[in-house]
Amino acid sequence: MAVVVVGAMVFALAATNVLLAQGAFRIQALAQEQEQLRQVNGELRLNVAGLITSNRIAQEAKRIGLVFPSVIEVVHKNGSRELSGLPTSSTKPPRIATTPRSGGSG
Amino acid sequence: MTRPPLKRLGAILGLFFFAMSAIVLRLVFLQVRDAEALQTRGESQRMRTVPLPAMRGSILDRYGRELALSLEAEAVYADPQHVTDPAAEADQIAPLLGERPAQIQPLLMGSGTFAYIARQVDQPVADKIAALQLPGIGFLPESKRYYPSGALGAPQVVGIMGVGPTNAYDEPRGGLELAYNDVLAGTDGQKQIEIGRDGNPIPQGVDIVTPPVAGQDLVTTIDPQLQYQAQLALQEAVKSNGAKGGTVIMMNPKTGEVLAMATYYPSGKKGQASVVDRTSNPAIGNVYEPGSVNKVITASAAIEENKVPLNEVFHVPDTYTTYGYQIHDAEPHPTERMTLGDIITHSSNVGTILAAQQLGPDLLATYLAKFGYGQVTGIGLPGESAGLLPPLYSWSGLSMANLPIGQGVAVTPLQMVNVYATVADGGVWTQPQIVKGTVDPAGTFHPAPPPIQRRVVSEATAHTVTGMLAHVVSSGTGTAAEIPGYWVAGKTGTGKVPDPVHGGYLNKYVASFIGFLPASDPQIVIGVIIDQPTTQIYGGLVAAPVFQQLGKQAIARLRIAPGEHPDFPPSAMHGR
């Protein structure tokens, strides 16, 4: 009887040890996976940050032939529409000289 | 029967006792008297403390996109005492680091036990080196800073991490990196491990980890698209006008939020790529004499103090003589009848001086200070200059001829743009903001404290001055800033550059245009300051077109609707 009890205890102890070891291995594997994912996440963050820069988007837009709108259409609350901000140069010449005089702001 | 050798036994016993006593005594010395020192010595031989650097917080634009971010990296080091074949190891490591073996090999042959081979090595590269399993090569965790938007992403605002004054490898050097280092840096942690003679951790040995606390993210007010457009337009303007450099600031006048702050001062030889200096910010650190953009203060003060009625007509010649000095208007003209509105619209120096004489020096000095001259704005960026506002007691007879037209006083671009933001916001000066708040490691946003505000002039005065500024763009010196469909308010400036060596002024100018739109309900203030242009010199020709270009971009970006027609001031020249 005593032999059986001791045998059962030894078996239980061994089984617990095996389970603990397995758990430890699993924790280690998960920690490694977490580390790898963190690295991948960092690389992706950098990648995304580079992709969404205005400079890259502008260059890409230019490459595929996009231009800034020539007309800005403003829709008012009452439903009326207005074309504004036409990107043309002002036709009125500035009323200032084109060469400096002494003393001069302008 | 022989007697036992008592003497010998006694002697042996005594010897044995003596030896045992010596051992016990030695044990007492080791275990009691020297125990602490020996324990410390042993621990110092076995214990290793590995620093665990805190991940530095990111710097984000107003939409949460990263302007600066840190990623994990490794420092690669060598313990030359354990390197077995320096030449062979250098041959394997160098190509992975993009170096020549001749640069690496001396580091592997030193007499010490530690030498950095490379800092801030990207993780994939470090992994490749680690896979070589070279004896005497080790790794330390650290982080590496990235600036994805490069030179077009508010570099002077963001700043940079680099080798600092204390020679530390990764120190904040300028911009928000420096100003908010305490917030961004976080707290480093450490790992204590027990190692054996072979340098490997002892199984079941001490392994104590104090985890690092990551830094907080900093959310700025920068709009990345406006910043990009501002930087691009500025670079083009500086190049096309043969200028020394320039600054563009775009600001929300109601909140004081800086949406874009671009500076461009090309360096290096012609044909070479310009190096961006991220350690200083001319938008807040450089001062210049603003010229005619300053007239808005003279006009505001005169109106606020009821010193110049709007319908008062001045007889304005094109030249004013005082203390033997002559001050001219920008173009010759016969004596003209001008109201204050006409004077501002056509940027008459002489007319402004005449109006300022009715105001008087005390009030002019008061309003220059009230608009923020001579004081830092407190935006929170390092290296901000207070500018130069001469104290009233030091004013000479010429001061009342110079200061009203923006000469003899020096301001930063930010101070000057803030003057226009004050007018645009109905006469309330608002401290400029560059930081919206912080995000802690748990993801909670903590807003920055609200900006300081103070009333400088009444809403009615600001409204009147806005009408004058709208008239400047409609039919004065600033027509090149006009955006069809919108009422733009703004002012040109062509300030002379002082001669620091001989006194007086150089034959060089700072051309500027600062304005806002729509005039009736300002949504954005844009300041364009071009330093020492050579092709043209006038703000109306050099800076106003840049304002127009950026104004259109801002209208589209911020979806600004056209506003009402502003009230133009009485005009003697236009028969109103």
Side-chain angles (χ1 to χ4, degrees), chain A residues 17-94:
Chain A
N17 234 352
V18 169
L19 283 174
L20 283 174
Q22 279 182 339
F25 282 125
R26 174 107 179 104
I27 288 170
Q28 195 177 4
L30 286 172
Q32 277 179 352
E33 192 180 343
Q34 184 194 27
E35 181 62 27
Q36 283 173 349
L37 287 173
R38 203 168 64 229
Q39 282 178 25
V40 170
N41 176 261
E43 287 161 21
L44 289 174
R45 269 177 62 208
L46 183 61
N47 206 4
V48 169
L51 288 171
I52 62 174
T53 58
S54 298
N55 187 26
R56 193 202 74 83
I57 292 171
Q59 284 180 351
E60 187 65 14
K62 195 174 176 183
R63 191 184 66 76
I64 61 175
L66 296 179
V67 292
F68 278 100
S70 57
V71 173
I72 299 170
E73 186 172 11
V74 179
V75 182
H76 292 279
K77 285 178 187 171
N78 61 11
S80 65
R81 290 165 180 265
E82 190 177 353
L83 297 179
S84 303
L86 294 167
T88 53
S89 297
S90 172
T91 53
K92 295 175 187 169

Side-chain angles (χ1 to χ4, degrees), chain B residues 49-54 187-191 209-213:
Chain B
T49 301
V50 181
L52 299 175
T187 308
D188 288 346
Q190 62 178 25
K191 182 177 186 180
V209 176
T210 308
V213 179

Side-chain angles (χ1 to χ4, degrees), chain B residues 50-71:
Chain B
V50 181
L52 299 175
M55 190 56 71
R56 190 173 178 82
S58 297
I59 298 176
L60 311 170
D61 66 29
R62 64 187 297 113
Y63 305 113
R65 298 172 187 170
E66 284 161 319
L67 298 171
L69 72 156
S70 290
L71 293 183

Side-chain angles (χ1 to χ4, degrees), chain B residues 16-353:
Chain B
F16 185 73
F17 182 77
F18 178 76
M20 286 304 292
S21 299
I23 289 171
V24 168
L25 194 64
R26 181 64 182 152
L27 278 174
V28 168
F29 278 8
L30 292 176
Q31 297 284 353
V32 180
R33 193 194 69 169
D34 300 336
E36 203 172 321
L38 290 171
Q39 193 175 359
T40 306
R41 191 171 154 196
E43 281 177 358
S44 71
Q45 289 173 343
R46 293 193 320 278
M47 301 300 291
R48 286 283 182 275
T49 301
V50 181
L52 299 175
M55 190 56 71
R56 190 173 178 82
S58 297
I59 298 176
L60 311 170
D61 66 29
R62 64 187 297 113
Y63 305 113
R65 298 172 187 170
E66 284 161 319
L67 298 171
L69 72 156
S70 290
L71 293 183
E72 288 176 357
E74 301 272 2
V76 183
Y77 71 89
D79 179 353
Q81 307 307 314
H82 287 87
V83 173
T84 51
D85 187 347
E89 291 191 17
D91 282 345
Q92 293 181 75
I93 294 171
L96 295 172
L97 294 173
E99 304 274 0
R100 287 180 292 112
Q103 290 173 298
I104 305 290
Q105 192 174 335
L107 301 170
L108 307 179
M109 301 169 68
S111 56
T113 57
F114 184 92
Y116 278 120
I117 296 175
R119 301 293 302 268
Q120 296 185 332
V121 177
D122 291 338
Q123 200 65 52
V125 175
D127 290 344
K128 284 180 186 171
I129 297 173
L132 297 172
Q133 295 188 319
L134 300 172
I137 304 299
F139 303 87
L140 290 173
E142 57 183 7
S143 63
K144 185 175 179 180
R145 201 71 166 157
Y146 293 88
Y147 302 96
S149 299
L152 297 171
Q156 289 86 6
V157 172
V158 172
I160 194 167
M161 300 293 288
V163 180
T166 61
N167 241 4
Y169 195 79
D170 216 11
E171 281 189 27
R173 300 192 61 213
L176 293 167
E177 295 277 27
L178 177 60
Y180 287 83
N181 187 48
D182 290 347
V183 174
L184 291 163
T187 308
D188 288 346
Q190 62 178 25
K191 182 177 186 180
Q192 281 187 302
I193 50 173
E194 205 171 1
I195 58 164
R197 289 189 58 178
D198 58 356
N200 291 322
I202 298 172
Q204 309 300 322
V206 174
D207 188 355
I208 304 168
V209 176
T210 308
V213 179
Q216 298 187 46
D217 293 341
L218 199 64
V219 184
T220 67
T221 59
I222 294 292
D223 182 303
Q225 197 168 323
L226 292 180
Q227 176 69 37
Y228 168 74
Q229 297 295 349
Q231 198 77 49
L232 221 55
L234 176 64
Q235 289 184 14
E236 180 55 36
V238 168
K239 285 175 186 167
S240 64
N241 288 290
K244 181 184 173 188
T247 297
V248 167
I249 296 173
M250 302 171 89
M251 184 190 281
N252 180 332
K254 299 176 196 297
T255 62
E257 289 181 349
V258 174
L259 302 173
M261 184 181 272
T263 59
Y264 180 63
Y265 279 80
S267 60
K269 292 178 184 171
K270 201 172 183 180
Q272 290 180 345
S274 184
V275 179
V276 177
D277 179 9
R278 286 174 170 266
T279 60
S280 64
N281 187 349
I284 58 163
N286 284 12
V287 296
Y288 72 108
E289 297 200 12
S292 291
V293 286
N294 180 77
K295 289 171 185 167
V296 73
I297 297 180
T298 309
S300 296
I303 296 166
E304 180 76 4
E305 297 294 331
N306 293 314
K307 296 294 183 186
V308 179
L310 292 179
N311 56 5
E312 179 177 346
V313 176
F314 293 85
H315 295 272
V316 183
D318 68 345
T319 303
Y320 178 81
T321 305
T322 181
Y323 291 93
Y325 287 89
Q326 283 194 331
I327 292 160
H328 302 278
D329 276 353
E331 64 175 358
H333 61 78
T335 298
E336 290 197 68
R337 297 175 75 248
M338 288 182 158
T339 62
L340 184 58
D342 294 325
I343 287 167
I344 296 301
T345 301
H346 299 291
S347 200
S348 168
N349 292 332
V350 178
T352 306
I353 293 167

